[in-house]
Amino acid sequence: MRNFVIFIEGENFNFEIDGKWRPVGFFASRRIEAETVEQASSAALTQLLSEPEVDGKALPGHTVIVKMVHEMPLAHKNEYHGFTFFPMEE
């Protein structure tokens, strides 16, 4: 098993920001153990989209892509949570 940190970008999701629901994009990192980069990327996207913070908040035309994958030493067990939001351009 290999250890990866996956950097993900999502766009066009409905989140509450400063008390108002808005279409936003986000960046997120997740750590995944898998045999290959492809398996890690797929698992990270599946995991992220099932998280309660994201589940059911996708707007029509949303996208979620893997921006970058880093293989880390197996001893690296940091957990990554949360999101960094950015406004969607109108």
Side-chain angles (χ1 to χ4, degrees):
M1 198 60 69
R2 296 162 63 190
N3 191 31
F4 299 96
V5 174
I6 314 295
F7 186 65
I8 300 167
E9 179 182 9
E11 291 188 349
N12 213 23
F13 282 76
N14 197 32
F15 277 89
E16 187 175 1
I17 307 291
D18 297 329
K20 293 183 180 181
W21 289 92
R22 304 167 194 241
V24 299
F26 63 81
F27 294 109
S29 296
R30 298 294 183 267
R31 186 184 69 82
I32 300 289
E33 292 184 11
E35 293 294 331
T36 67
V37 169
E38 293 79 14
Q39 290 171 345
S41 296
S42 177
L45 291 172
T46 299
Q47 175 186 313
L48 185 130
L49 289 171
S50 68
E51 292 178 15
E53 297 91 347
V54 175
D55 189 28
K57 294 186 177 163
L59 295 169
H62 74 282
T63 59
V64 183
I65 60 171
V66 171
K67 295 293 280 187
M68 192 175 300
V69 178
H70 288 287
E71 186 168 1
M72 304 296 286
L74 286 173
H76 177 86
K77 299 294 183 183
N78 290 7
E79 292 298 324
Y80 297 88
H81 302 282
F83 302 86
T84 300
F85 297 107
F86 58 89
M88 296 301 304
E89 300 206 12
E90 299 192 26

